[in-house]
Amino acid sequence: MNTPSKKSFLYKCTIVAAIGGFLFGYDTAVVSGAIGYMETYFTLDAAAKGWAASCALIGCMLGAMVAGMLSDSWGRKKVLQLAALAFAVSSLGILIPMNFTGFILFRLIGGIGIGLASILAPLYISEIAPAESRGRLVSIYQLGIVIGILVIYFVNAGIASLNSEEWNTHTGWRWMFGSGLLPSVIFLLLLINVPESPRWLVQKNQIASAEAILLKINNADVAAAELANIQAAIAEKQISLSELWSTGFRKALIIGVILAILSQITGINVIMYYAPEIFKQTGADTESSFMQTIIVGTINFLMTLVAIRYVDRWGRKKLLLIGSLGMAICLLIVGACFYYNIEQAWLLLVAILAYISFFAISLGPLTFVVVSEIFPNPVRGRAMSVAIFFLWLSVYVVSQTFPMLLESLGAAYTFWIYMILSAVAFLFVVKFIPETKGKSLEEIEHLWR
C-alpha cells in the first residue's frame, strides 16, 4: 500500500502537469470575453470574427503535430516546459498594441503551447499513475482545464468592469489576453522540480532513474513489478507509427481519432468561446451575459469533480454513454428555445448548464483518459499527436463555422446539428469503446496485440 508521502509525491507531479491543462483552458476561453470588443475594434465581419476566435487553433494543430515526436526524443518534461514558454510569449505579445496581423501571430504562438500541453500533460500523468487511479489522475488534467476556463471568466468579467465600454474596446481586451503571463511563468518554474516519465526513461535505457521514480510512487514490490512489465513491453517487437496502421493497433488509432473528433464537434467550444454572445441573443445585457458565463464555468468545474470521483468506479464507457445521450437531449432543448423564441432566458441557461454537466462527466475528461492509455508505449506520444491533431482540427472547424452557421441557419438549426452529432457519439461509444478501468498500460497494449 502506498504511504502518504508516496501519494503526496504522485499528486504533486499530477497537479503540476495539470497546470498545463489550466493554461489550456485559460488561453482558449479568454477569447469569449474579448471577442465582442475585438469585433468592434477591428471592424470584423462574421468570417473574420470566426478567424479571430479560432486562429489559435492552427497553432494548436501545429503543436499537436510535433508534440509526440519532440516528447519521444526530448522527454515529456522538456516539452511541457516549451509549452509554458509559448504561453508566456503569447500573453506578453498581445499586451503590446498592434494590428490584427500581430494579434494573429501571437495567438498562433499561444496555440502551439496549447497543442503541446494538450498531449504532454495527460500523457505524462498517464505514464506515472498507478493503474487503479489512472482515470482519476488523468481527469485532474481536465479539472485543470475547467478551472482555467472558470478563472478566466472571472478575470474577463473583472477587467470588463474596470472602465467604460470604450476602454474595453481599445485596451481591456488586451489585458484579458495578457493576464495569462503570470500562470505561464508559475507553470515554467514548478516544472523544474518534477521528474521525467519513468516509461520514457526505460525507453531511453535509463533504468536506474526510472526505478528511482517508480519507488517514489509505489512500494518496492509494486515498483519492481511495474518496472519489469514496462521492460517486457518494450522488449517485445516494437512498431513504428507508420506500422501502427497495419497492425492490430489500427483499431486503437481509429478509436482515438474518432473519439477526439466527436468530443469537439458536439459543440462544447461553441459554448466556451461564444457564451456571452449566445446569452446576449436572449436579450441579456453585457454584465448579465458575463455572469451567466461564470455560472457555466462553475458548473463545468463541479461536474468534472464528479467525473474524477467515479471514472475509476463506474468505468470510462458507462460515463461516456450517460454523457453523450444527455448532451443530445439538452441540445434539443437549446435549439427549441431559439426556434420557438421562448422568452424565459432561465430555460436556455438551465439547458446549457445541463449540457455542460453531461459533457463534464464524459467527453470532456474521458477523451483525454482514453486517448492517453490505449496506445502502445513506444509510439504513445506520436499516436496521441495524431488523435489530438484531429481534436484541434475539429475545434477549429467548429469555432470557425459557428458564426457563419448562426448567420445562415439561425441558432435553432445550428444547435440541432450539434444534437445529431452527440447522438452519433453515443452510438460510437456503444459499438467501439472498450472498457479500460483498472488495467495497466501494458495490459491495455496486450488487448490490441
Side-chain angles (χ1 to χ4, degrees):
M1 186 172 180
N2 287 352
T3 64
S5 63
K6 293 182 185 299
K7 286 186 178 180
S8 175
F9 176 80
L10 177 61
Y11 275 94
K12 182 193 83 170
C13 295
T14 299
I15 289 169
V16 171
I19 295 174
F22 175 92
L23 287 167
F24 169 168
Y26 196 100
D27 204 58
T28 52
V30 63
V31 74
S32 70
I35 191 65
Y37 301 120
M38 292 176 60
E39 182 179 14
T40 303
Y41 183 76
F42 290 117
T43 317
L44 304 177
D45 58 19
K49 183 179 178 181
W51 175 232
S54 60
C55 63
L57 303 174
I58 300 296
C60 293
M61 286 185 274
L62 292 173
M65 285 172 63
V66 301
M69 178 185 65
L70 292 179
S71 71
D72 286 341
S73 299
W74 298 354
R76 314 326 191 189
K77 178 177 172 176
K78 286 187 176 67
V79 182
L80 280 172
Q81 291 171 322
L82 180 62
L85 185 62
F87 284 127
V89 169
S90 174
S91 298
L92 184 61
I94 295 175
L95 270 174
I96 303 168
M98 63 186 72
N99 58 22
F100 190 59
T101 301
F103 166 79
I104 297 296
L105 173 63
F106 281 104
R107 281 299 281 164
L108 287 171
I109 294 171
I112 291 172
I114 299 169
L116 294 173
S118 67
I119 291 176
L120 268 299
L123 172 60
Y124 175 82
I125 296 169
S126 75
E127 291 191 339
I128 65 168
E132 68 274 8
S133 59
R134 190 176 59 249
R136 181 169 68 253
L137 293 175
V138 176
S139 295
I140 290 175
Y141 165 73
Q142 176 69 16
L143 182 65
I145 295 175
V146 301
I147 292 174
I149 291 169
L150 180 58
V151 169
I152 192 56
Y153 284 165
F154 277 105
V155 170
N156 283 349
I159 290 173
S161 68
L162 289 176
N163 213 313
S164 65
E165 189 85 4
E166 182 181 358
W167 179 83
N168 279 311
T169 300
H170 287 275
T171 304
W173 65 269
R174 294 191 186 278
W175 286 25
M176 294 175 187
F177 285 104
S179 64
L181 181 60
L182 178 60
S184 301
V185 172
I186 291 172
F187 183 40
L188 192 58
L189 294 175
L190 289 176
L191 282 168
I192 294 171
N193 292 318
V194 299
E196 184 51 83
S197 158
R199 284 176 168 81
W200 182 82
L201 290 171
V202 172
Q203 285 176 226
K204 298 302 178 181
N205 205 32
Q206 299 179 38
I207 309 301
S209 298
E211 185 177 20
I213 295 165
L214 289 170
L215 283 168
K216 290 183 178 181
I217 298 169
N218 305 286
N219 62 40
D221 291 342
V222 174
E226 186 85 351
L227 181 61
N229 286 337
I230 296 169
Q231 289 178 296
I234 291 174
E236 291 183 12
K237 181 182 182 299
Q238 299 305 324
I239 58 173
S240 66
L241 186 59
S242 60
E243 291 174 317
L244 189 67
W245 183 253
S246 59
T247 66
F249 295 108
R250 175 169 56 186
K251 185 176 180 181
L253 186 61
I254 293 171
I255 287 173
V257 168
I258 294 178
L259 184 63
I261 291 170
L262 289 171
S263 72
Q264 302 306 313
I265 62 173
T266 45
I268 185 60
N269 283 294
V270 165
I271 305 297
M272 293 305 171
Y273 291 6
Y274 294 102
E277 305 303 307
I278 292 169
F279 290 125
K280 284 177 187 177
Q281 289 210 7
T282 69
D285 58 25
T286 299
E287 184 176 350
S288 297
S289 66
F290 269 108
M291 288 309 299
Q292 289 168 337
T293 302
I294 287 172
I295 295 171
V296 167
T298 302
I299 292 296
N300 196 12
F301 166 71
L302 293 174
M303 296 308 293
T304 302
L305 293 178
V306 174
I308 290 171
R309 181 175 178 83
Y310 290 106
V311 63
D312 287 316
R313 296 187 189 182
W314 292 3
R316 287 66 159 144
K317 186 162 187 168
K318 183 180 290 186
L319 286 176
L320 285 168
L321 289 171
I322 293 169
S324 54
L325 181 61
M327 288 163 59
I329 294 169
C330 294
L331 289 167
L332 174 66
I333 297 169
V334 171
C337 287
F338 285 107
Y339 187 81
Y340 293 106
N341 295 315
I342 296 174
E343 295 182 358
Q344 289 85 353
W346 64 266
L347 180 59
L348 176 65
L349 179 60
V350 168
I352 287 177
L353 292 180
Y355 166 82
I356 292 291
S357 298
F358 284 115
F359 178 84
I361 65 168
S362 60
L363 285 168
L366 300 191
T367 296
F368 290 104
V369 172
V370 172
V371 169
S372 69
E373 65 187 10
I374 62 174
F375 299 119
N377 281 324
V379 293
R380 183 171 294 116
R382 284 167 288 164
M384 278 187 69
S385 285
V386 175
I388 302 301
F389 169 81
F390 280 98
L391 182 148
W392 287 118
L393 178 61
S394 304
V395 177
Y396 173 76
V397 170
V398 171
S399 303
Q400 182 70 29
T401 58
F402 175 68
M404 293 179 277
L405 285 173
L406 209 57
E407 194 175 83
S408 59
L409 297 180
Y413 288 104
T414 298
F415 283 103
W416 283 339
I417 289 173
Y418 302 139
M419 174 199 71
I420 292 169
L421 293 170
S422 296
V424 170
F426 174 83
L427 296 174
F428 176 77
V429 173
V430 169
K431 181 71 175 175
F432 296 106
I433 298 293
E435 184 52 73
T436 54
K437 74 169 183 176
K439 293 182 172 65
S440 72
L441 295 177
E442 288 68 37
E443 287 172 330
I444 296 168
E445 180 175 337
H446 276 281
L447 284 179
W448 307 115
R449 288 188 187 274

